[in-house]
Amino acid sequence: MSLTKVSYSMIQGAPVNILDYGASASSSNNSVAIQAALDTGLDVYVPSGDFVVTDTLTMKTAYQNLFGVGQASKITFNFSSIKAGLVLDENGATNFAEKSRIHDLYLYGSANVLMVIHVKASTTRIYDNRIVNASAVVGHGIYCAALNESTAPFVKSFGHVISNNNIYGNNVTGSVGIVFNERNHPAWVQNNNIGVFDTLIEVAGTEAMIDIKDNYLEPAKNIGVDLNSSNASSKMYNITIQNNYFEECPIAVRLKQGASNCLKIVDNYSYPHTQTSAYGVAPFFWAATTGAAATTASIVENNTIDGHSSLFLLDDEYNSRLASTKNNVLISPSVWATGTYANNAYKIRQFNSYFTKRNVSGVFLGEDTARLESKDAVFSIPIQFEPHQKMWKLETNYAQTGSTGVTIELFKSTSGGITATSLGSATRTTDGLLTITLDNYSAEPNYNYYLTVTYSNTGTSGYIYPFQLYLYE
């Protein structure tokens, strides 16, 4: 009795095997064979072997799976000109690749690969793959972009799940591991290892509900996660960056351009190894130029930072708005915030001398809740803050009416008040800010804290205004 060899294609509805369409690991070009398998619209199986292609492959059918047995199932994209490797195409007319799946494959960009996977379809799943773009050109790993959302046929790119992949590049300037270019919301990026790109993940354009969670991000040439809209009017809503491990990312997260709403950066760990980037800065979170007035305050909480130049670099008026900065841990450095809008990273507690002053000597020429006027007064006010809080600076405005100077000085003393130690002082004889810099000082148990104000008893008089204590916790 003779035996008949059964191929996948002989079983109705079963996946097709690329070998049945002429693909061979010994061939230098399997483009036609693999594309023929994909064009059946059935699920396509890639067996063990390294299958070289010299032209773009396109998935065009809804619910189609392209899969293999893991890293042993390899497709190598080796192009003579720059183009995408594998395209999930949904053009609304002839191609309908929504709900496609790519899994258990090794997709390798060898030469001139613009992006290994170009997603132009909705609700796709890309999981359990090894994806490498080793091209010498500016090439990406996975690039997601809506094809058309404004005119018929309407095509949107949304609902992507990218999980459990190893995605690596060639450290080329401008390259990105995963790009969400325009209207890909919602999307989930979870449990991936991403590294050796200029930027590991970029969210650009109008996006909403992007979850970036539980990823190992290492290394990046410059930025771990870049929220970088193409223009200041684009909106980015409900983006969560949570429980990721950033290593060798000089800048962990950058927010640049666009109107960001409900941005949450929580529960991450970051160790950059170096404070060198192409931008000349290396903070954990950088609010860069140029934001939009519609931006709402971001939440940056419960992150552990070890080795960045600062936790916050706040350079933009709108992107620097922060709703909460509690429970972040600085192993190194000790710098909490820098930049033009560094004050936004702190809680500000106001002390009004009118209510809390203790007059030591001299007289007031005028006093109300807005300011105190004197020429020779010396008085003190108590300063209170909690042991878990750290003080950055103490500040007030001073205005003189005729060459009267003033000195403020912060002291700590034991509960019995027998000894007092100065923590810093500032003096002015002209209008301006009086600032005592405290370098993130933490309260010590069994000490009281108070501020003394001493007018110089020269000239005419001067006005002291309420004090602001800048804290973080």
Side-chain angles (χ1 to χ4, degrees):
M1 180 179 180
S2 62
L3 298 177
T4 300
K5 180 180 178 181
V6 178
S7 69
Y8 272 127
S9 58
M10 296 176 66
I11 304 173
Q12 186 174 7
V16 298
N17 189 325
I18 62 172
L19 299 180
D20 292 334
Y21 290 82
S24 171
S26 61
S27 172
S28 61
N29 185 7
N30 291 282
S31 305
V32 173
I34 297 177
Q35 188 60 57
L38 291 170
D39 287 345
T40 65
L42 298 172
D43 294 345
V44 175
Y45 170 68
V46 180
S48 296
D50 184 359
F51 300 92
V52 177
V53 297
T54 59
D55 203 357
T56 299
L57 300 176
T58 304
M59 297 176 69
K60 310 170 186 177
T61 307
Y63 296 95
Q64 188 174 41
N65 281 264
L66 177 63
F67 68 100
V69 295
Q71 185 169 307
S73 299
K74 183 179 181 182
I75 299 176
T76 295
F77 302 96
N78 188 19
F79 299 153
S80 59
S81 60
I82 298 173
K83 62 185 76 175
L86 174 62
V87 178
L88 282 65
D89 193 17
E90 181 183 351
N91 63 22
T94 58
N95 299 342
F96 304 92
E98 72 271 15
K99 299 180 177 63
S100 299
R101 307 288 186 269
I102 301 172
H103 58 95
D104 296 292
L105 291 170
Y106 180 10
L107 303 176
Y108 181 76
S110 175
N112 293 310
V113 179
L114 183 60
M115 62 277 290
V116 178
I117 301 176
H118 189 183
V119 180
K120 300 193 291 184
S122 60
T123 56
T124 64
R125 303 291 184 270
I126 302 171
Y127 57 94
D128 296 334
N129 301 288
R130 183 180 181 187
I131 300 168
V132 176
N133 196 338
S135 301
V137 301
V138 179
H140 313 303
I142 300 172
Y143 191 96
C144 304
L147 180 63
N148 179 27
E149 200 181 40
S150 58
T151 60
F154 300 100
V155 179
K156 299 180 181 180
S157 177
F158 62 87
H160 308 300
V161 177
I162 301 173
S163 62
N164 300 303
N165 301 285
N166 292 298
I167 306 172
Y168 293 101
N170 197 23
N171 213 33
V172 177
T173 299
S175 63
V176 184
I178 300 175
V179 181
F180 294 104
N181 188 52
E182 185 69 36
R183 300 184 188 278
N184 293 278
H185 42 274
W188 295 264
V189 180
Q190 298 174 328
N191 298 306
N192 300 283
N193 295 330
I194 309 173
V196 204
F197 292 94
D198 190 347
T199 296
L200 302 186
I201 300 173
E202 181 178 68
V203 179
T206 297
E207 304 289 0
M209 297 181 64
I210 307 290
D211 277 7
I212 301 170
K213 294 182 178 179
D214 303 315
N215 299 285
Y216 185 88
L217 304 175
E218 180 270 337
K221 192 171 187 177
N222 285 295
I223 302 174
V225 178
D226 197 13
L227 310 177
N228 184 10
S229 174
S230 56
N231 60 75
S233 62
S234 295
K235 299 175 176 61
M236 294 179 284
Y237 298 100
N238 294 299
I239 295 176
T240 300
I241 302 168
Q242 183 175 14
N243 202 38
N244 300 285
Y245 184 93
F246 293 87
E247 187 169 356
E248 296 188 65
C249 300
I251 302 163
V253 181
R254 181 175 73 163
L255 175 58
K256 182 182 179 184
Q257 294 204 118
S260 170
N261 292 268
C262 300
L263 170 62
K264 297 178 182 178
I265 305 171
V266 295
D267 303 321
N268 301 284
Y269 174 86
S270 185
Y271 178 48
H273 283 242
T274 177
Q275 293 184 4
T276 301
S277 75
Y279 304 98
V281 297
F284 171 74
F285 174 68
W286 182 16
T289 57
T290 303
T295 297
T296 62
S298 303
I299 294 172
V300 184
E301 296 179 345
N302 303 314
N303 301 286
T304 300
I305 314 304
D306 186 4
H308 286 279
S309 57
S310 64
L311 172 57
F312 297 100
L313 173 55
L314 304 179
D315 283 339
D316 179 72
E317 177 183 1
Y318 303 118
N319 286 340
S320 297
R321 295 168 177 169
L322 298 170
S324 177
T325 61
K326 66 182 182 181
N327 299 328
N328 293 290
V329 177
L330 294 184
I331 299 174
S332 173
S334 59
V335 179
W336 183 259
T338 59
T340 304
Y341 299 92
N343 286 357
N344 291 5
Y346 298 87
K347 290 185 175 180
I348 301 176
R349 181 177 295 171
Q350 184 162 288
F351 296 89
N352 196 314
S353 306
Y354 177 79
F355 297 106
T356 60
K357 69 181 183 301
R358 299 171 184 172
N359 200 23
V360 178
S361 64
V363 297
F364 292 101
L365 303 176
E367 53 182 316
D368 56 36
T369 57
R371 61 187 184 178
L372 301 177
E373 181 186 8
S374 183
K375 172 186 175 182
D376 61 355
V378 178
F379 64 93
S380 64
I381 60 173
I383 301 294
Q384 297 178 340
F385 65 107
E386 303 299 324
H388 66 279
Q389 295 176 323
K390 294 188 177 183
M391 294 191 291
W392 176 41
K393 65 180 180 179
L394 186 68
E395 199 167 70
T396 187
N397 273 300
Y398 179 67
Q400 53 81 35
T401 62
S403 301
T404 299
V406 70
T407 296
I408 61 172
E409 189 165 10
L410 180 65
F411 290 92
K412 68 175 183 179
S413 67
T414 58
S415 56
I418 298 174
T419 60
T421 303
S422 175
L423 298 176
S425 64
T427 299
R428 287 201 75 91
T429 57
T430 58
D431 298 353
L433 282 174
L434 280 159
T435 302
I436 298 175
T437 301
L438 298 164
D439 291 328
N440 307 318
Y441 177 82
S442 297
E444 299 177 68
N446 303 317
Y447 278 90
N448 297 317
Y449 296 86
Y450 64 93
L451 183 73
T452 64
V453 180
T454 304
Y455 283 88
S456 65
N457 198 20
T458 59
T460 306
S461 67
Y463 295 97
I464 201 83
Y465 291 81
F467 291 87
Q468 288 82 40
L469 179 61
Y470 291 80
L471 305 163
Y472 70 88
E473 58 187 31

